[in-house]
Amino acid sequence: MIAALTIAERQRAIAISAVLALCGFAMTIAGSDTLFAVHGAIVLLFSLGCIGLVMSQYFAPEPSDERLTRYYDDPTRVGIVLSLGWAVVGMFFGVWVAALLAWPDLTFDAAWASFGRLRPVHTSGVIFGFGGNALIATSFHVLQRTTRARLPDQFSPWFVLIGYNLFCVLAASGYLMGVTQSKEYAEPEWYADIWLVVVWVVYFLIYIRTLQRRKEPHIYVANWYYMAFILVVAVLHIVNNLAVPISFGEAKSYSLFSGVQDAMTQWWYGHNAVAFFLTSGFLGMMYYYLPKRAGRPIFSYRLSIISFWGITFMYMWAGSHHLHYTALPQWVQTLGMTFSVVLLVPSWASAGNALATLNGAWGKVRDDATLRFMMVAAVFYGLSTFEGSFMAIRAVNSLSHYTDWTVGHVHAGALGWVAMITFGSLYALVPWMWKVERMYSPKLIEVHFWLALAGTVIYVFAMWNSGIIQGLMWRTYNDSGTLAYSFIDSLVAMHPYYIARTVGGLLFLLGAIVASYNVWMTIRMSRSQPEAEAGDADLPVLQGAALQAGE
Amino acid sequence: MREFFHRKLERSAIGFVLAIIGVSAIGGFVEIAPLFTIGETVEKAPDMRVYTPLELAGRNIYIREGCYACHSQMIRTLRDEVERYGPYSLAVESKYDHPMLWGSKRTGPDIARLGGKYSDAWHVAHLINPRDVVPQSVMPRYGWLMRSELKTEDLGRHLKAQRAVGVPYTDAQIANASSDAYGQASPDSPYAGGVSERYGEATNVRAFDGEPNRLTEMDAVVAYLQVLGRLTDAAQKQAAAEK
């Protein structure tokens, strides 16, 4: 890996790591005995680790120019492994917090192990750790294949991948220590947020530099989605995280916005994190790996245009449906509801486009669990976008909001759509990346598929039941015209569903462990066998080393 | 036939980037910017007071422990919510909340109007082990709040940062932040008098955790919970007017 870097790139890696190490050291000094100093120490150790890694092979011979005739896939390989690692960690914390709602004392008598601190480790672990790493890894792969251009250099992809994981580590360790700004899905504090902006700018530059050198005249639809993901997430992240720290040596900061404006900004962010992180990015994945695996072209080019611009335009209006019947002015609520309902059109255009692409390949869907993962993902995408539009209607929302129904809806999307499309794509990608004919065990993919599907269905049904029961109990009146149930009555009624939800989550976690084992064994298999032709025409179609011209 | 315009757009990376930014910017701009400019968005409440340093510290512990994940602080304009929790929440009530803690999930009940509903002793017992007072509860135990001393020396900086984002703390409030935090939980100490002087006679000045000589995180959290919904009576006034 390091040996594939040029000497100049190795020096750049060491120099940037050293700068980062200095930042960590400065944080440690400035923070004296606060949690800020602990994070400084983590940054310091992390960057020293990077320096050590580069130094270990610093004197390896330089790679030949022949490397420029091949795509650069090392960051993708590492990204896949990191993504699966975060999946297991994030889902483990998910099962733990799920269990805590059924058995609240299933933990240690320590601050770090209480529900409120563990929960964001779960949400950030799966969204940013698992999802984010998968997006970065696949985007580098898809970008090169669809532009027929090599990544612009070999250092910046590493900066993005490693830097992004440093952000994830700061986030997760911060939550356990009590560092959070409480904005849902934007919990990390100001310094981690600034660091993510730096990483993100480099990510965008990689994208645009590669696109500018593309050999294909047209930018493929998958890249539209990856670009929307990168650009809009940057805007959302910067605006929602505007804050004033109490000093430059402490972690705590206060949000620039307050009350109703803060609520609207937060859910403009929150809902579009769903739109542009968990939808747009993964649609990019789907538009490449699904047709590739099915061996069929995308059903309709025009549908993909309609759905892309529809999603990009309309999602940004939908955030206020999180605030129905609150102190947010009603005109904003109504706008949010309207656009949320119309959003069904572009969403189903994408889901339908994916399923229609499979026409003529249904035999493959039956026999190939990898393709089936993607098919089921498209179905769940269609289902949860329908559910989302439905729940955004004010009258429905009056029942569903604040209940487990929302949690069920989120997991129909996160497990059924995001995780399924990711696992399907990774199963397709791993053999190409490690140059083996197929995954170590197709049987285990089949096992994983059924574990994941069963887990999702159990989870979602449990939450539908509990959410609707909760919502109904809260608003039920008895004959004398007073409320029929106390709050605690509704909580007691949730108990069986909370157990069922834990079981569903556990099945899904087991599936992720099976996947990690399968990928690990595939990597080992690739080491023990002579380099075979990859099973797919995924080999480079680069002509000559001129690809880096202009850089 | 003229080329479908999108075919052209697809050939320009920069054009595509600008188009994405332009198309995606509209919605957020139309919905968020007017909230800062339309006066009626936030009601007027002349009696609204700011959090005391102790309450603010408690609020920060509430944030640190992730309480907002299970408790909302936003009563919607629905009959059953008003009957269960009290008058519906007004925008002005969270005017000084940086960030707001409206919440999105009620694993536990809404607590926008929790202040004054239970005694301090009930809150302390409930936080140490919720199942001692509500046997069916699934809330976590927060025993360490009683064991941890509250950090007060940084409270002046907290108030300063709050003022930078728009909360009207006075110089005197900032200068006395640490001693006010101590005084509010130690009614017999010489620091107690300044608290009601700077934050109003209605401010709770009590040994919230039952131990007047120690300032713990429990003091701060209970002080915060006891002031929820009590910074202004605008909502109660509006409810009375509507009747």
Side-chain angles (χ1 to χ4, degrees):
Chain A
M1 248 159 42
I2 307 294
L5 300 178
T6 62
I7 300 287
E9 282 164 343
R10 289 173 213 173
Q11 286 165 347
R12 206 179 311 164
I14 291 176
I16 302 247
S17 304
V19 171
L20 194 59
L22 273 179
C23 292
F25 186 65
M27 284 170 74
T28 319
I29 302 296
S32 59
D33 62 341
T34 64
L35 298 174
F36 191 69
V38 179
H39 264 166
I42 289 177
V43 172
L44 180 61
L45 290 176
F46 192 95
S47 5
L48 289 179
C50 292
I51 294 178
L53 203 67
V54 178
M55 285 311 287
S56 68
Q57 287 192 56
Y58 184 78
F59 296 104
E62 239 190 347
S64 74
D65 280 348
E66 185 257 349
R67 76 182 188 282
L68 298 176
T69 65
R70 279 178 285 112
Y71 296 126
Y72 188 49
D73 289 329
D74 283 349
T76 299
R77 282 187 270 268
V78 174
I80 292 169
V81 174
L82 286 170
S83 172
L84 288 169
W86 278 105
V88 173
V89 172
M91 289 174 198
F92 167 77
F93 277 91
V95 174
W96 189 2
V97 291
L100 280 176
L101 290 179
W103 304 285
D105 287 321
L106 201 66
T107 188
F108 312 99
D109 179 28
W112 68 268
S114 75
F115 179 91
R117 295 198 188 186
L118 298 177
R119 177 183 170 274
V121 179
H122 161 60
T123 53
S124 289
V126 291
I127 297 173
F128 299 118
F130 168 52
N133 274 302
L135 284 174
I136 293 175
T138 56
S139 70
F140 287 156
H141 173 253
V142 171
L143 176 63
Q144 297 183 89
R145 280 9 178 233
T146 52
T147 57
R148 289 196 292 131
R150 194 174 200 263
L151 292 177
D153 69 306
Q154 298 188 128
F155 169 71
S156 52
W158 287 115
F159 179 80
V160 171
L161 185 71
I162 308 278
Y164 180 76
N165 279 278
L166 173 59
F167 168 79
C168 293
V169 168
L170 288 179
S173 59
Y175 306 149
L176 294 178
M177 298 188 299
V179 179
T180 169
Q181 52 179 4
S182 85
K183 293 195 154 215
E184 284 184 78
Y185 320 112
E187 290 94 346
E189 273 291 356
W190 59 277
Y191 48 96
D193 292 335
I194 293 174
W195 172 244
L196 185 64
V197 172
V198 174
V199 169
W200 220 247
V201 167
V202 177
Y203 190 16
F204 172 68
L205 289 177
I206 292 177
Y207 234 83
I208 203 79
R209 285 158 78 200
T210 310
L211 283 175
Q212 293 295 37
R213 293 175 13 263
R214 69 188 181 279
K215 285 277 158 24
E216 285 287 338
H218 290 272
I219 302 171
Y220 180 61
V221 51
N223 290 322
W224 311 349
Y225 280 106
Y226 280 121
M227 273 201 297
F229 148 64
I230 296 170
L231 289 166
V232 182
V233 166
V235 174
L236 296 167
H237 172 77
I238 292 172
V239 174
N240 189 42
N241 284 305
L242 290 173
V244 175
I246 62 168
S247 81
F248 289 108
E250 279 156 302
K252 178 73 188 167
S253 69
Y254 288 104
S255 164
L256 194 58
F257 311 119
S258 71
V260 61
Q261 293 92 359
D262 186 47
M264 185 58 226
T265 310
Q266 158 60 26
W267 287 112
W268 166 77
Y269 167 90
H271 196 71
N272 288 298
V274 174
F276 289 89
F277 205 99
L278 296 178
T279 303
S280 204
F282 292 89
L283 281 172
M285 217 182 254
M286 185 188 81
Y287 269 107
Y288 183 81
Y289 294 99
L290 184 135
K292 199 87 174 121
R293 185 76 183 187
R296 316 223 3 121
I298 282 288
F299 168 70
S300 163
Y301 163 67
R302 286 188 181 226
L303 262 187
S304 44
I305 295 177
I306 293 170
S307 70
F308 175 76
W309 290 108
I311 284 172
T312 306
F313 177 65
M314 283 192 269
Y315 253 112
M316 298 298 265
W317 297 76
S320 53
H321 70 224
H322 288 252
L323 301 167
H324 280 326
Y325 300 100
T326 67
L328 181 75
Q330 185 155 357
W331 65 268
V332 195
Q333 300 178 22
T334 309
L335 271 180
M337 172 175 89
T338 312
F339 277 93
S340 305
V341 173
V342 185
L343 249 178
L344 188 61
V345 175
S347 302
W348 274 26
S350 265
N353 211 0
L355 292 175
T357 300
L358 293 173
N359 260 342
W362 291 107
K364 280 190 194 165
V365 175
R366 183 192 58 208
D367 297 334
D368 176 12
T370 302
L371 190 57
R372 214 180 311 129
F373 261 112
M374 302 188 207
M375 187 277 284
V376 169
V379 171
F380 268 102
Y381 176 63
L383 285 176
S384 48
T385 47
F386 173 78
E387 190 186 25
S389 294
F390 183 61
M391 290 167 78
I393 299 169
R394 276 166 62 91
V396 181
N397 197 269
S398 74
L399 179 96
S400 74
H401 193 53
Y402 293 134
T403 73
D404 285 316
W405 190 355
T406 310
V407 182
H409 167 62
V410 168
H411 283 82
L415 304 176
W417 155 240
V418 173
M420 295 268 197
I421 192 70
T422 305
F423 284 125
S425 301
L426 293 188
Y427 282 134
L429 179 58
V430 163
W432 298 338
M433 286 292 96
W434 274 277
K435 312 251 182 304
V436 289
E437 209 173 316
R438 54 168 179 79
M439 289 293 298
Y440 164 72
S441 164
K443 266 240 168 66
L444 285 180
I445 303 181
E446 195 72 43
V447 170
H448 178 196
F449 174 80
W450 291 108
L451 280 173
L453 186 61
T456 307
V457 170
I458 292 173
Y459 191 110
V460 172
F461 268 90
M463 292 293 95
W464 278 338
N465 275 298
S466 67
I468 292 171
I469 291 173
Q470 231 170 4
L472 289 175
M473 285 178 85
W474 291 346
R475 59 161 61 170
T476 300
Y477 283 85
N478 56 29
D479 292 339
S480 55
T482 53
L483 291 167
Y485 300 101
S486 70
F487 189 90
I488 205 75
D489 291 337
S490 73
L491 181 71
V492 171
M494 296 306 101
H495 189 64
Y497 304 109
Y498 285 173
I499 295 174
R501 179 251 292 270
T502 311
V503 172
L506 183 66
L507 293 182
F508 207 89
L509 167 66
L510 288 177
I513 293 171
V514 169
S516 305
Y517 173 76
N518 205 354
V519 169
W520 186 247
M521 293 306 286
T522 309
I523 297 173
R524 281 188 51 177
M525 192 169 83
S526 77
R527 284 188 185 148
S528 60
Q529 77 181 35
E531 200 156 300
E533 284 293 290
D536 179 87
D538 193 54
L539 289 173
V541 252
L542 301 184
Q543 295 115 17
L547 277 155
Q548 287 209 313
E551 275 297 313
Chain B
M1 202 183 104
R2 216 168 59 91
E3 192 184 34
F4 185 40
F5 84 98
H6 202 271
R7 302 288 294 174
K8 272 188 209 152
L9 185 61
E10 283 165 35
R11 288 203 296 268
S12 160
I14 299 292
F16 218 98
V17 165
L18 294 176
I20 290 174
I21 293 179
V23 165
S24 65
I26 303 167
F29 188 76
V30 172
E31 290 188 351
I32 297 175
L35 297 179
F36 290 93
T37 58
I38 299 178
E40 300 133 54
T41 302
V42 181
E43 307 82 359
K44 302 274 172 289
D47 66 327
M48 177 89 180
R49 82 155 164 87
V50 295
Y51 292 108
T52 65
L54 186 67
E55 291 154 7
L56 186 68
R59 188 171 195 272
N60 287 337
I61 295 168
Y62 181 95
I63 288 174
R64 182 186 80 191
E65 303 303 343
C67 307
Y68 57 86
C70 294
H71 293 285
S72 58
Q73 295 185 22
M74 174 46 64
I75 302 165
R76 296 181 294 171
T77 53
L78 299 167
R79 177 184 162 195
D80 60 290
E81 298 215 353
V82 171
E83 286 181 18
R84 190 181 296 279
Y85 301 117
Y88 58 82
S89 301
L90 300 181
V92 68
E93 293 181 90
S94 48
K95 180 166 82 161
Y96 297 141
D97 285 7
H98 295 263
M100 57 85 209
L101 294 173
W102 292 9
S104 59
K105 176 76 191 4
R106 285 181 186 152
T107 304
D110 187 279
I111 57 173
R113 309 225 172 278
L114 184 64
K117 196 171 171 188
Y118 301 95
S119 69
D120 294 344
W122 185 91
H123 279 300
V124 172
H126 185 247
L127 284 164
I128 289 173
N129 183 7
R131 280 158 290 289
D132 284 347
V133 281
V134 185
Q136 310 92 326
S137 170
V138 297
M139 190 171 117
R141 306 163 183 245
Y142 291 99
W144 63 88
L145 296 178
M146 200 70 194
R147 301 194 290 267
S148 317
E149 303 280 333
L150 183 72
K151 207 175 136 191
T152 57
E153 73 277 6
D154 58 355
L155 282 170
R157 290 199 294 284
H158 282 267
L159 263 52
K160 236 187 212 158
Q162 285 264 308
R163 187 158 77 177
V165 294
V167 184
Y169 281 107
T170 63
D171 289 336
Q173 285 170 333
I174 291 174
N176 293 292
S178 306
S179 56
D180 281 350
Y182 183 83
Q184 193 180 353
S186 315
D188 299 329
S189 77
Y191 304 109
V195 179
S196 2
E197 198 181 299
R198 277 182 281 277
Y199 294 90
E201 284 306 320
T203 309
N204 299 321
V205 179
R206 307 195 286 259
F208 296 95
D209 66 355
E211 292 182 16
N213 306 320
R214 271 179 79 226
L215 185 61
T216 60
E217 294 193 335
M218 184 66 86
D219 277 312
V221 172
V222 174
Y224 172 62
L225 295 178
Q226 293 291 28
V227 83
L228 283 173
R230 306 220 136 199
L231 294 176
T232 167
D233 55 8
Q236 287 80 357
K237 271 193 194 136
Q238 171 147 340
E242 279 173 12
K243 265 180 195 158

